[in-house]
């Protein structure tokens, strides 16, 4: 039987979160990142630990079938690769930043100036579309020190919390793109491997739905069941269980994490009481 070859960054936060996702999907890895290739016992998959910058080329060439990789890296490498699913972790931004003493946030500041970056393609595409001509200096690491040593007037780099910029006397001005970890695939998958990928993707989507949802239980007056059910649209229909106390029922359903507090306020306004919220491990729909 064929095995799906998946590439994972061999170090860093993306490595840790990728392995956690596999674990949440019931795929257990026996050994660690010191080996280049690892087989999985309970799923038709092989894991390859690679340098982050090499993954897009391996995908395009079909050396690996799928990969967990940063969306920003795929945009920069400009390879023929399809994004299958956004994964919701390792979120960051590719942004322009300037020395903190620069008062303007306007893009025109960079006209004719030097910009240091590890993302020259992403930056050039953005500047070309905006009609800005700048001198792009490509740096492989520690981009944030470039303005301090007189190499550039600003930088283009990935930003997460912004603490690295702050420590180097810089501030973020313009976001070029938002990025997160994604599941990407090669364009040369066989039908058999495509079927395995679909099974893997089903597990991922079940995990992601669970992380974005909460199980909710509450006691409500019977005359408010219809109103409260209209506030809980996640599942096909909420479960309604009559209570021993006449005129009251217990409602069980699921709510979206993003709308959590707004939904709670609406439920309380309709008379819901004794509201309990429970995390969901998996959510299969």
């Amino acid at each position: 039987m064929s095995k799906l070859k998946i590439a994972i960054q061999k170090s860093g936060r993306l490595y840790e979160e990728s392995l956690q996702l596999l674990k949440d999907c019931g795929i257990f890895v026996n050994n660690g990142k010191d080996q280049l290739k690892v087989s999985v016992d309970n799923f038709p998959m092989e894991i390859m630990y690679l340098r982050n910058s090499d993954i897009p080329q391996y995908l395009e060439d079909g050396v690996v079938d799928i990969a967990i990789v940063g969306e920003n890296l795929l945009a920069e490498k400009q390879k023929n690769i399809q994004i299958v699913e956004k994964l919701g972790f390792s979120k960051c931004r590719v942004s322009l930043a300037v020395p903190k003493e620069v008062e303007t946030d306007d893009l025109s500041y960079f006209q004719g100036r030097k910009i240091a970056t590890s993302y020259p393609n992403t930056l050039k595409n953005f500047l070309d579309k905006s009609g800005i001509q700048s001198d792009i200096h490509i740096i492989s690491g520690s981009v944030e020190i470039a303005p301090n040593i007189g190499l550039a007037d600003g930088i283009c780099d990935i930003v997460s919390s912004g603490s690295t910029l702050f420590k180097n006397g810089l501030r973020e001005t313009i976001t070029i793109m938002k990025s997160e970890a994604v599941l990407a695939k090669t364009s040369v998958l066989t039908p058999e491997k495509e079927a395995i990928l679909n099974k893997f993707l089903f597990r991922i989507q079940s995990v992601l739905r669970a992380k974005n949802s909460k199980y909710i239980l509450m006691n409500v007056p019977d005359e408010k069941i219809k109103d409260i059910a209209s506030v809980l649209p996640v599942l096909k229909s909420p479960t309604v269980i009559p209570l021993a106390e006449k005129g009251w029922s217990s409602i069980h359903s699921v709510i979206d994490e993003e709308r959590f507090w707004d939904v709670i306020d609406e439920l309380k306004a309709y008379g819901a009481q004794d509201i309990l919220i429970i995390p969901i491990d998996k959510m299969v729909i």
Side-chain angles (χ1 to χ4, degrees), residues 133-284:
Q133 293 184 340
S134 300
D135 186 5
I136 298 176
H137 285 244
I138 303 174
I139 299 179
S140 59
S142 300
V143 174
E144 61 276 355
I145 70 170
N148 290 330
I149 61 176
L151 182 62
D153 301 297
I155 69 168
C156 173
D157 201 12
I158 57 171
V159 180
S160 181
S161 66
S163 60
T164 302
L165 294 180
F166 180 79
K167 291 176 183 177
N168 287 275
L170 302 173
R171 62 182 186 84
E172 185 179 3
T173 57
I174 298 170
T175 297
I176 292 178
M177 71 170 292
K178 294 183 179 180
S179 173
E180 63 185 87
V182 297
L183 182 70
K185 74 171 185 175
T186 182
S187 61
V188 293
L189 270 187
T190 65
E192 186 176 7
K193 289 188 175 183
E194 192 77 51
I196 299 172
L197 172 58
N198 288 337
K199 291 181 180 180
F200 180 45
L201 187 58
F202 175 79
R203 296 190 185 192
I204 288 177
Q205 290 169 344
S206 297
V207 169
L208 295 181
R209 277 193 294 264
K211 289 182 177 180
N212 294 328
S213 304
K214 298 293 183 184
Y215 191 76
I216 185 168
L217 304 85
M218 73 205 81
N219 296 329
V220 303
D222 286 345
E223 67 270 16
K224 295 295 184 178
I225 290 176
K226 186 175 180 180
D227 292 328
I228 287 178
S230 68
V231 183
L232 303 168
V234 173
L235 296 179
K236 185 177 297 182
S237 177
T239 300
V240 180
I241 304 173
L243 297 180
E245 183 176 346
K246 189 175 181 180
W248 285 80
S249 295
S250 176
I251 289 184
H252 300 202
S253 190
V254 172
I255 59 176
D256 289 324
E257 177 72 26
E258 291 182 356
R259 295 190 61 238
F260 178 83
W261 290 111
D262 291 336
V263 170
I264 294 299
D265 289 340
E266 290 183 68
L267 295 174
K268 289 179 65 179
Y270 280 127
Q273 299 179 10
D274 309 322
I275 301 173
L276 300 180
I277 309 298
I278 302 173
I280 302 172
D281 185 45
K282 304 288 188 298
M283 189 170 170
V284 180

Side-chain angles (χ1 to χ4, degrees), residues 70-104:
E71 192 176 5
N72 58 300
L73 183 61
L74 294 182
E76 174 61 27
K77 295 297 184 179
Q78 300 178 339
K79 301 296 183 181
N80 181 27
I81 297 167
Q82 179 183 345
I83 293 176
V84 180
E85 185 77 28
K86 293 191 175 186
L87 301 176
F89 57 82
S90 292
K91 292 186 177 182
C92 64
R93 306 175 297 280
V94 179
S95 295
L96 290 164
V98 299
K100 60 183 180 181
E101 61 268 18
V102 175
E103 296 182 356
T104 181

